[in-house]
């Protein structure tokens, strides 16, 4: 087996248990659109693990999207757990995905729990925004901390309340 085949068969970073080439790979490359809000959530998480700022911006609804994402500020994401979904199926116009993700940054290991909102426009799922949840398991992201989305802005000036 050559290196390319091994990479294609590597498990997808989104934690689905499916090889990257059959999971988020085709969505990130633009060969297919994410069929559900959860699939978009998983592909966006995978894009964060690969510091693919272009994909993240492309899949972020224009009226809530930051002007740029500094890939150098994206933490080292280590795990994703989907906690629940509401709507977000192929026939829906909107959906919610609640997840918990773990990352390592210069400030240590932290967890992020969020309820993300998605809309479907012109047949494409887009990330709108999300509400962070403090469930006692997640390390709190401070208002003056770098935003976990990788924008390079302080949390309070970006995704924070």
């Amino acid at each position: 087996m050559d290196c390319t085949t091994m990479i294609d068969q590597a498990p997808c970073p989104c934690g689905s248990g499916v090889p990257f080439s059959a999971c988020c790979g085709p969505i990130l490359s633009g060969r297919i659109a994410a069929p559900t809000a959860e699939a978009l959530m998983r592909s966006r998480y995978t894009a964060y693990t690969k510091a693919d700022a272009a994909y993240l911006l492309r899949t972020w609804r224009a009226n809530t999207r930051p002007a740029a994402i500094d890939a150098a500020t994206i933490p080292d994401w280590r795990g994703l757990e989907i906690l629940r979904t509401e709507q977000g199926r192929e026939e829906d116009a909107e959906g919610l995905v609640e997840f918990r993700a773990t990352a390592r940054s210069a400030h240590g290991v932290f967890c992020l729990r969020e309820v993300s909102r998605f809309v479907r426009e012109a047949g494409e799922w887009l990330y709108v925004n999300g509400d962070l949840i403090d469930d006692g398991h997640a390390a709190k992201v401070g208002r003056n901390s770098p935003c976990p989305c990788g924008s390079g802005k302080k949390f309070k000036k970006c995704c924070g309340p």
Side-chain angles (χ1 to χ4, degrees), residues 84 96-98 113-117 129-133:
R84 72 180 169 99
L96 295 175
V97 178
E98 182 176 349
R113 183 171 170 186
E114 180 178 302
V115 176
S116 297
R117 283 181 282 290
N129 59 23
D131 295 321
L132 293 179
I133 298 173

Side-chain angles (χ1 to χ4, degrees), residues 99-159:
F99 69 93
R100 182 181 296 121
T102 306
R104 169 180 263 148
S105 74
H107 306 290
V109 175
F110 67 93
C111 290
L112 175 86
R113 183 171 170 186
E114 180 178 302
V115 176
S116 297
R117 283 181 282 290
F118 298 88
V119 295
R120 190 172 176 134
E121 295 178 351
E124 301 281 332
W125 282 104
L126 298 170
Y127 172 75
V128 177
N129 59 23
D131 295 321
L132 293 179
I133 298 173
D134 182 3
D135 64 359
H137 297 287
K140 190 164 179 114
V141 178
R143 289 178 41 78
N144 290 315
S145 298
C147 191
C149 82
S151 68
K153 296 179 182 176
K154 289 183 179 182
F155 177 64
K156 68 182 178 186
K157 296 285 187 180
C158 192
C159 296

